[in-house]
Amino acid sequence: MSTKSEKQSAPRGPFGRLAGKFLDLNLAAKISLMFSGIILIVLVFTALVLSKSSVNFVRAEQDARCIQALSYVRILIEKDQRYIDGLTEYYTTSAEAQKLVNDSNAGLPVSQAGAQDLLMSARFKLYLLSVVFYNLEGKPIAYVSIDNSRGPLPQAGTEEERPFERLMASSRSEEWEYIPQYSDSFMELDHSPKLALWKKMDDLDTLRPIGVVAVTLDVRKLLGSNMDAHSASNTLLLSYDGEVALNRTGYELPGELVAGICAGASEISAPAGMASAGSAANA
């Protein structure tokens, strides 16, 4: 029968048995085993450090690519905005447009033939969808539409404040607006999502406001046709109000995610009319 001291000295559990076997080894074996254990611990620690460094490196590379893609998208959008701004400047300062709006403000009949001659060139402009002239009362005088949208709506005295009213009530000269497809705020029948530039028209002689012109471009063509370049194909554009203006991610995004992107981009400047209060988000 085992004595009490023998029971106390007997190893307990798997760790106890391992400790007992280790104590039974000779000194050379103990030193060799301890050295191997130290090497193993160093290797595991090194692997963990390298793994974390690799994750950080991959994340930094991904962030750099996304920032580069976003910069490229911003350049494309701003290029098209400058193009539309140049067209709008022409329509606000041309002698034909000035006469068209001044005649309407004076209650004179507007020459539709002259209006169509003025607007004819718009049909051949890149990405251009429509041009609409408004008099001081916000009534549409003449327009041209490339996408078969029709029936420009009055822009004054509406339930929702429109860019026309904000421009006429302030010293600002222009405002960008995203107009979703089938919107009932711009046309009676609106077929295309648009980025619109509203620009105040000033009389060239008196410098007093005489009306507003709205020039719109197709949002779907903002980034051009080559979507492989600079990962622009994986881009989401949001309006100031959190509406999806353009989605080339290939995914249907839930409203909560879109709202989160808008909230996160609220402190970031972005092309006028688009989200972060208009931002471009690259997935």
Side-chain angles (χ1 to χ4, degrees):
M1 181 177 293
S2 299
T3 65
K4 185 177 180 180
S5 60
E6 289 174 339
K7 289 182 179 180
Q8 289 177 343
S9 61
R12 296 178 181 179
F15 292 105
R17 287 193 293 271
L18 287 175
K21 291 181 179 181
F22 177 77
L23 293 174
D24 291 338
L25 297 174
N26 58 41
L27 183 59
K30 289 178 181 178
I31 293 174
S32 176
L33 185 60
M34 291 176 63
F35 185 72
S36 299
I38 293 172
I39 293 176
L40 179 61
I41 292 173
V42 171
L43 289 176
V44 171
F45 179 76
T46 303
L48 291 175
V49 172
L50 290 176
S51 176
K52 186 176 180 179
S53 299
S54 298
V55 170
N56 291 338
F57 176 78
V58 171
R59 185 174 298 170
E61 284 290 308
Q62 185 179 17
D63 289 346
R65 286 195 297 269
C66 287
I67 291 173
Q68 183 182 21
L70 285 172
S71 298
Y72 177 70
V73 168
R74 288 172 63 92
I75 290 171
L76 288 179
I77 294 175
E78 290 169 356
K79 174 181 67 66
D80 287 335
Q81 287 186 302
R82 287 193 297 270
Y83 172 73
I84 293 299
D85 187 61
L87 288 178
T88 309
E89 186 66 24
Y90 163 73
Y91 285 123
T92 59
T93 58
S94 69
E96 296 86 353
Q98 292 271 316
K99 183 178 187 309
L100 183 76
V101 178
N102 277 322
D103 284 351
S104 176
N105 288 330
L108 300 175
V110 175
S111 171
Q112 292 302 317
Q116 291 308 310
D117 289 342
L118 173 64
L119 296 170
M120 183 61 66
S121 62
R123 296 184 178 275
F124 306 102
K125 302 298 183 183
L126 187 66
Y127 303 158
L128 198 66
L129 282 181
S130 58
V131 179
V132 186
F133 287 97
Y134 301 89
N135 62 16
L136 280 174
E137 297 177 349
K139 295 179 179 179
I141 305 169
Y143 81 101
V144 63
S145 177
I146 312 301
D147 63 344
N148 291 323
S149 297
R150 60 179 181 270
L153 297 170
Q155 295 297 305
T158 58
E159 294 182 3
E160 179 183 358
E161 188 180 39
R162 302 289 298 133
F164 174 90
E165 295 174 301
R166 288 193 289 270
L167 289 175
M168 299 306 291
S170 70
S171 59
R172 290 187 302 162
S173 62
E174 64 182 43
E175 180 177 329
W176 287 92
E177 179 192 28
Y178 169 66
I179 303 174
Q181 190 174 19
Y182 307 125
S183 168
D184 58 358
S185 61
F186 184 59
M187 297 269 190
E188 291 180 1
L189 184 60
D190 210 337
H191 290 297
S192 306
K194 300 172 172 66
L195 184 60
L197 175 58
W198 298 79
K199 197 154 192 172
K200 187 188 299 182
M201 294 182 63
D202 293 330
D203 189 282
L204 296 180
D205 295 325
T206 65
L207 301 182
R208 293 179 178 178
I210 58 175
V212 170
V213 61
V215 179
T216 70
L217 60 86
D218 194 335
V219 171
R220 296 167 298 186
K221 297 179 180 179
L222 270 178
L223 304 182
S225 58
N226 183 10
M227 287 296 97
D228 293 330
H230 299 275
S231 301
S233 59
N234 200 26
T235 300
L236 174 70
L237 298 180
L238 304 177
S239 74
Y240 280 104
D241 299 324
E243 298 169 294
V244 178
L246 182 65
N247 183 1
R248 283 189 169 142
T249 65
Y251 299 99
E252 191 70 29
L253 302 177
E256 295 81 3
L257 177 59
V258 172
I261 294 173
C262 283
S266 60
E267 300 299 326
I268 304 174
S269 61
M274 308 312 294
S276 105
S279 75
N282 189 270

